[in-house]
Amino acid sequence: GKALPESPGRIYAIGTSAIAPSEAKALEQAAQNARFGVIARLRVGATGTTTVSTTLSQQQASGREAVGNRQQYVRQEGATSVKAVELPGLVIEERFIDHKAGVAYTLAYLDVSAAERTLGSSLNILASEWKGLQAEPPPAGVRPSISRIQRVKALKGRAEALGLHGELLIPAGVSTSHQGDAKALEAEMGKVIAELQAGLSMGAQIRGGELGEDFLSILRNVAIKDGFIWTQQNPVMLLSVEIRSANQGLNIR
């Protein structure tokens, strides 16, 4: 196997995948593995929580040089990998299929300068959109409040992803200010969501019997998903549930 290329401002990693059942899928998987490899190298510097193990197996073919089959296994703490591989500046440079070894190889690199430029630009766009949303009049009523919460949550999700990208890029020499800006936006958005939800508390009043805990949990989960706070202590909105027959099934919409 060859050593990874070295280039100022770039972080390289190799990804591999067996070419069965198809070469196209193998190249796709190898590319994803290469991206994870780059992220793993960053995360080792960022958090120390990623384990990267590399195995190199040599296959000797008659009259040919040994073929290196390099595989990286990346195990990450937490469910951040999907957002991480969307890191801007992450490029697949080469794709190669070794038919004799039955392995697809890809070489990926992170262009640190491009990643920082894109991160800064994305943060500026997000901050502008957030400023625009805050300039809108406060929502009047339940539905507008729920709609506003969903919009703020969508922006908050973007802030979280950009914060992760900023964190990952710090060991590569990128300024910590990007992560700080993303975290500040995320905190502002979280505060606004909490304020909006304070007027959207919901509880249930059961008449004609008792609902099992499983039904109550369905009601609670639907309410929370829609942006409400579930409470039985003086909720702003009281859901009235009347049970007319113990044998009747419940249709909760």
Side-chain angles (χ1 to χ4, degrees):
K2 295 180 181 178
L4 286 172
E6 289 187 15
S7 177
R10 289 185 178 183
I11 297 169
Y12 281 89
I14 291 173
T16 68
S17 179
I19 61 175
S22 82
E23 291 183 5
K25 283 189 176 179
L27 286 169
E28 187 181 321
Q29 185 59 53
Q32 189 74 332
N33 291 343
R35 292 187 189 99
F36 278 124
V38 172
I39 299 303
R41 294 187 68 191
L42 286 168
R43 285 191 71 87
V44 167
T47 63
T49 58
T50 302
T51 303
V52 182
S53 61
T54 303
T55 60
L56 186 67
S57 64
Q58 300 290 342
Q59 296 179 340
Q60 188 70 45
S62 57
R64 292 172 61 89
E65 291 182 8
V67 177
N69 179 11
R70 187 177 187 280
Q71 292 180 311
Q72 281 195 322
Y73 298 92
V74 181
R75 178 176 57 80
Q76 291 179 273
E77 307 296 335
T80 59
S81 55
V82 174
K83 286 180 182 175
V85 295
E86 293 169 358
L87 194 66
L90 198 50
V91 178
I92 300 298
E93 185 175 65
E94 290 181 20
R95 293 173 170 83
F96 171 70
I97 291 182
D98 185 333
H99 290 97
K100 195 164 188 70
V103 177
Y105 295 84
T106 59
L107 180 66
Y109 71 83
L110 175 72
D111 184 323
V112 178
S113 295
E116 182 168 23
R117 281 195 306 273
T118 307
L119 178 59
S121 173
S122 298
L123 279 166
N124 287 337
I125 291 168
L126 180 60
S128 176
E129 288 183 36
W130 175 231
K131 191 175 178 181
L133 192 149
Q134 286 179 299
E136 293 180 17
V142 173
R143 284 186 182 278
S145 294
I146 291 173
S147 175
R148 182 71 60 91
I149 287 173
Q150 299 305 334
R151 287 171 63 196
V152 177
K153 279 184 176 179
L155 294 180
K156 186 169 178 281
R158 284 164 57 189
E160 288 171 3
L162 293 174
L164 171 63
H165 293 169
E167 177 197 3
L168 287 170
L169 291 170
I170 290 169
V174 170
S175 169
T176 58
S177 66
H178 298 298
Q179 187 197 13
D181 291 345
K183 288 287 183 188
L185 282 170
E186 188 183 334
E188 280 182 34
M189 293 166 185
K191 188 178 175 186
V192 168
I193 289 170
E195 287 170 357
L196 287 166
Q197 282 184 323
L200 290 174
S201 58
M202 180 184 283
Q205 182 181 50
I206 315 300
R207 292 175 181 165
E210 286 188 10
L211 274 181
E213 187 57 38
D214 52 345
F215 282 116
L216 276 176
S217 74
I218 290 171
L219 292 174
R220 185 167 57 239
N221 291 342
V222 170
I224 292 170
K225 185 181 174 186
D226 280 345
F228 291 93
I229 291 176
W230 184 266
T231 177
Q232 293 295 81
Q233 305 300 317
N234 300 317
V236 173
M237 299 184 68
L238 192 61
L239 188 65
S240 182
V241 181
E242 185 176 351
I243 302 173
R244 295 183 179 179
S245 166
N247 301 322
Q248 191 172 317
L250 285 173
N251 180 21
I252 301 169
R253 299 188 62 164

